[in-house]
Amino acid sequence: MITHVLGARPNFVKAAPVIAALSASRQAAGGPRRGQRVIHTGQHYDERMSDVFFRELGLPEPDANLGVGSGSHAAQTAAIMIALEKEFIERSPELVMVYGDVNSTIAAALVAAKLHIPVAHVEAGLRSFDMTMPEEVNRRLVDQLSNLLFVTSPEAVGHLAAEGVGVDRVHFVGNPMIDTLLSHLDAFDTEAVRAAHGLPERYIVATLHRPANVDDPQIAAGLVKRLHEIADLADVVMPVHPRGRKVLTEAGLDDHPRVKLLEPLGYVDFVATVRGAAVVVTDSGGVQEETTILGVPCLTVRPNTERPITITHGTNRLVTAEGLVPAVERALAADAGEREVPPLWDGKAGPRIARVVEDWLDG
Ligand code: UD1
Ligand code: UDP
């Protein structure tokens, strides 16, 4: 039995092709080789942060939802660990699969490792080298605890080697988030979302949810000022992550006639909106990768990125709050420029991961 632990929005997008490929490889073998169990920690729980992804991405209904909800880092991580320890002891999985860099990821890896259950980490080796980001702490620790490390980007292999992770554990397989994107290309109906949200031909999509951008009211207010300035250039549509909702709204985010605030969008509507955008302004990890493949200029409001391949190969640029307006002006004036698809971002990461997992477990 393979147990997948999922908790937050980006986990769902990354896990869907892996779970599907593991089911398919089992069927191809002519019968059930090993079962899969999907545990939802409940870290994200709003319909629009969770259920919509299960429906749209064909994820199986979770076998259990731990219902931990929100809390401080310690409270949330500890609640997930306590509930998962019981689950793993009862079910004795052969392998625990974890995704990305969220608190559910580190909680699951830590519990599994202490119970001597092997861990597979999908999206291993990414590094921002910024330990003020909770995700960087989670990534580094999960990689130390993992037996199988699935890497989306070549430089991640070097990061893992530098941290003493044995090369035999590391597998460069491509990017399952891009599997999900490519397999839904026909579903992204930009005209329909533009009509539904009353968007003009040329618009900007903005998403912000990093603690460094939205937790401090003063920093958030500075970003709101810049978002108003870019709204003078083109309409801004912003599906607001629940983390920043209160602070950004109190800073007057919707006090501009060309800023349109939305609830978080489901995957299909969100990517359709991004696909039609003239520019995307974001601090999301996944959106940097998706815009690279869609060829949409991406301005990432962060001092660093753990995904440098989106800059070297894709359409991504890092910007400061102060640099945002000129960067948007430039992006609106030019086309997205040359871009190259990063190696193995070809829609086949899920099957590659499934093959390595099955072979490793068959031992
Ligand atoms: C988490 C991840 C982050 C990831 C993001 C994806 C960690 C440390 N952070 O951040 O890496 O980029 O998910 O979206 O794991 N809330 C709701 N409804 C929900 C979920 C959250 O209202 O369904 C609100 C709560 O007020 C909560 C806050 O959002 O306190 C933050 O949620 P949390 O899961 O702790 O972290 P995210 O900011 O979502
Ligand atoms: N996303 C979505 N609806 C939204 C915003 C984002 O479906 O309103 C998708 C996005 O396309 C990507 C994933 O959620 O697949 C990224 O999640 P998020 O930005 O929350 O997390 P991060 O990637 O920063 O960890």
Side-chain angles (χ1 to χ4, degrees), residues 103 108 118 196 207 229 247 252 255 258 298 331 354:
N103 284 346
T207 75
E229 286 167 18
V247 169
D255 298 343
R258 295 179 76 187
C298 180

Side-chain angles (χ1 to χ4, degrees), residues 8-10 43-46 49 70 73 76 101-103 134-135 138 209-210 241-243:
R9 176 163 78 179
Q43 178 174 349
H44 283 176
Y45 44 84
D46 289 347
M49 297 296 288
S70 306
H73 284 280
Q76 186 179 59
D101 53 21
V102 304
N103 284 346
E135 295 81 4
N138 292 343
H209 72 275
R210 290 282 151 226
H241 188 288
R243 181 177 201 104

Side-chain angles (χ1 to χ4, degrees), residues 9-10 13 53 177 209-210 239 264-267 270-271 284-286 290:
R9 176 163 78 179
V13 184
F53 293 87
M177 194 169 230
H209 72 275
R210 290 282 151 226
L265 290 171
Y267 178 75
F270 179 73
V271 183
S284 159
E290 290 162 343

Side-chain angles (χ1 to χ4, degrees), residues 43-199:
Q43 178 174 349
H44 283 176
Y45 44 84
D46 289 347
E47 214 282 328
R48 285 163 170 275
M49 297 296 288
S50 174
D51 298 19
V52 63
F53 293 87
F54 281 77
R55 277 200 309 279
E56 291 187 347
L57 304 182
L59 276 161
E61 186 77 9
D63 295 287
N65 189 320
L66 309 178
V68 297
S70 306
S72 68
H73 284 280
Q76 186 179 59
T77 309
I80 300 170
M81 288 179 67
I82 290 165
L84 276 181
E85 187 175 55
K86 191 161 173 286
E87 157 74 27
F88 293 168
I89 288 171
E90 271 170 18
R91 300 279 173 168
S92 301
E94 289 174 270
L95 179 71
V96 169
M97 296 200 67
V98 298
Y99 298 82
D101 53 21
V102 304
N103 284 346
S104 298
T105 315
I106 178 64
L110 199 45
V111 173
K114 295 272 181 84
L115 291 171
H116 307 154
I117 300 167
V119 175
H121 184 205
V122 173
E123 201 185 82
L126 297 186
R127 296 290 179 267
S128 66
F129 300 99
D130 176 357
M131 288 294 273
T132 66
M133 292 180 71
E135 295 81 4
E136 184 74 359
V137 177
N138 292 343
R139 287 181 202 117
R140 283 177 179 264
L141 298 179
V142 172
D143 286 341
Q144 286 298 324
L145 297 171
S146 296
N147 305 73
L148 282 174
L149 296 96
F150 293 110
V151 163
T152 56
S153 183
E155 84 285 353
V157 178
H159 297 155
L160 292 169
E163 290 168 22
V165 177
V167 282
D168 52 320
R169 291 194 270 154
V170 179
H171 301 268
F172 173 39
V173 288
N175 190 335
M177 194 169 230
I178 301 306
D179 288 20
T180 301
L181 180 82
L182 296 177
S183 65
H184 286 82
L185 277 183
D186 290 344
F188 304 135
D189 188 343
T190 299
E191 289 311 310
V193 289
R194 269 188 46 214
H197 299 302
L199 297 173

